[in-house]
Amino acid sequence: DLMESAANPTERHAPALASLRELIPLQETLHDKRTEVLVLESDAPAAAIVQAAERLGVDAVCIGTQGKG
């Protein structure tokens, strides 16, 4: 399941998760706001993003790239 793999990241995802968490502004962590960082992998990325957003009931989705394209 896509969300199970996001909840149990592999060692391979650790650098990406750490980099993304560093981008969360400190003031966001001090107020009544929650930021969740997930790394998802899928052969159908658009469907995976929609599925994750619906299951998590998110207000916003931020998507990064590796800058190769």
Side-chain angles (χ1 to χ4, degrees):
D1 176 76
L2 179 67
M3 294 307 292
E4 278 184 33
S5 63
N8 300 303
T10 64
E11 250 183 70
R12 185 166 81 93
H13 295 135
L17 288 167
S19 294
L20 291 168
R21 288 184 179 120
E22 287 178 9
L23 296 173
I24 301 169
L26 179 60
Q27 66 266 19
E28 297 298 315
T29 61
L30 299 176
H31 299 294
D32 189 27
K33 296 180 182 177
R34 186 177 122 202
T35 302
E36 190 163 343
V37 178
L38 300 173
V39 175
L40 304 174
E41 290 187 62
S42 174
D43 292 331
I49 292 165
V50 170
Q51 178 188 22
E54 288 175 346
R55 290 178 96 179
L56 295 169
V58 301
D59 294 323
V61 175
C62 298
I63 302 171
T65 68
Q66 294 179 348
K68 296 180 182 178

